[in-house]
């Protein structure tokens, strides 16, 4: 039977950072509420959750990197909404932001969660922020808790 590594239980001492885009705040605010509620339900105290608002999704990686390089946080949750418009602008934002998140995560050995909704319409965004297609804010916080716990139990941790 193989040795299956399970995540450690959430630790009350772990801090979490959340970076949120102000653009489309009617949706990103809901994503933030879901992420915070999920962390609280896992026992993370409010004073262990740091939230930083940035103008838009393009600005998320820089602040995520600052949180990651600071070494005080167990994970960084990034929340935003990019809605497709009449041009290819959304594709450039989505590509750059997603590549930056993966680079930050690997460079600083910290989970950086991709909670940027990449949608065709605002209706799709609303559906993914507690509507018909789940809640991406909650999902990102759950993934952050899982990854933090898993990294603690991996060999060499």
């Amino acid at each position: 039977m193989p040795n299956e590594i399970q995540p450690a239980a959430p630790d009350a001492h772990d801090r979490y950072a959340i970076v949120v885009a102000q653009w489309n705040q009617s949706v990103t605010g809901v994503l933030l509420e879901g992420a915070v509620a999920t962390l609280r339900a896992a026992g993370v105290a409010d004073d262990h959750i740091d939230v930083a608002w940035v103008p838009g999704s393009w600005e998320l990686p820089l602040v995520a990197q600052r949180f990651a390089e600071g070494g005080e946080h167990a994970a960084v949750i990034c929340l935003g909404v990019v809605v497709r418009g009449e041009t290819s602008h959304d594709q450039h934002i989505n590509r750059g932001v997603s590549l930056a998140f993966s680079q930050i995560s690997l460079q600083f050995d910290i989970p950086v969660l991709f909670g940027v909704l990449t949608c065709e319409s605002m209706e799709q965004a609303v559906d993914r922020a507690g509507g018909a297609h789940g809640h991406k804010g909650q999902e990102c916080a759950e993934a952050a808790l899982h990854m933090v716990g898993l990294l603690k139990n991996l060999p060499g941790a």
Side-chain angles (χ1 to χ4, degrees):
M1 198 73 183
N3 182 31
E4 186 173 316
I5 301 166
Q6 296 295 320
D11 185 332
H13 298 291
D14 288 334
R15 297 183 69 86
Y16 291 83
I18 305 175
V19 189
V20 192
Q22 291 175 328
W23 193 258
N24 294 316
Q25 190 171 349
S26 62
V27 177
T28 61
V30 174
L31 295 174
L32 174 61
E33 290 170 7
V36 169
T38 301
L39 293 173
R40 284 178 180 150
V44 180
D46 281 350
D47 65 350
H48 280 65
I49 303 170
D50 296 315
V51 177
W53 288 88
V54 298
S57 292
W58 183 254
E59 292 80 21
L60 291 168
L62 178 59
V63 176
Q65 179 175 293
R66 287 286 179 96
F67 276 130
E69 71 188 358
E72 296 179 14
H73 297 90
V76 181
I77 299 168
C78 301
L79 305 173
V81 176
V82 179
V83 178
R84 184 181 176 116
E86 295 179 7
T87 68
S88 62
H89 183 72
D90 63 307
Q91 295 171 29
H92 300 290
I93 292 172
N94 295 337
R95 186 179 311 109
V97 168
S98 64
L99 289 173
F101 289 162
S102 65
Q103 290 171 347
I104 295 164
S105 183
L106 294 173
Q107 179 180 355
F108 294 101
D109 196 32
I110 182 175
V112 177
L113 289 298
F114 189 96
V116 178
L117 303 178
T118 57
C119 302
E120 298 289 325
S121 68
M122 279 303 287
E123 181 181 345
Q124 286 182 351
V126 169
D127 283 347
R128 286 155 179 77
H133 294 289
H135 198 299
K136 191 65 169 177
Q138 291 175 347
E139 293 169 14
C140 281
E142 290 167 358
L145 292 162
H146 182 98
M147 286 299 296
V148 167
L150 184 60
L151 290 173
K152 287 180 182 182
N153 283 346
L154 285 177

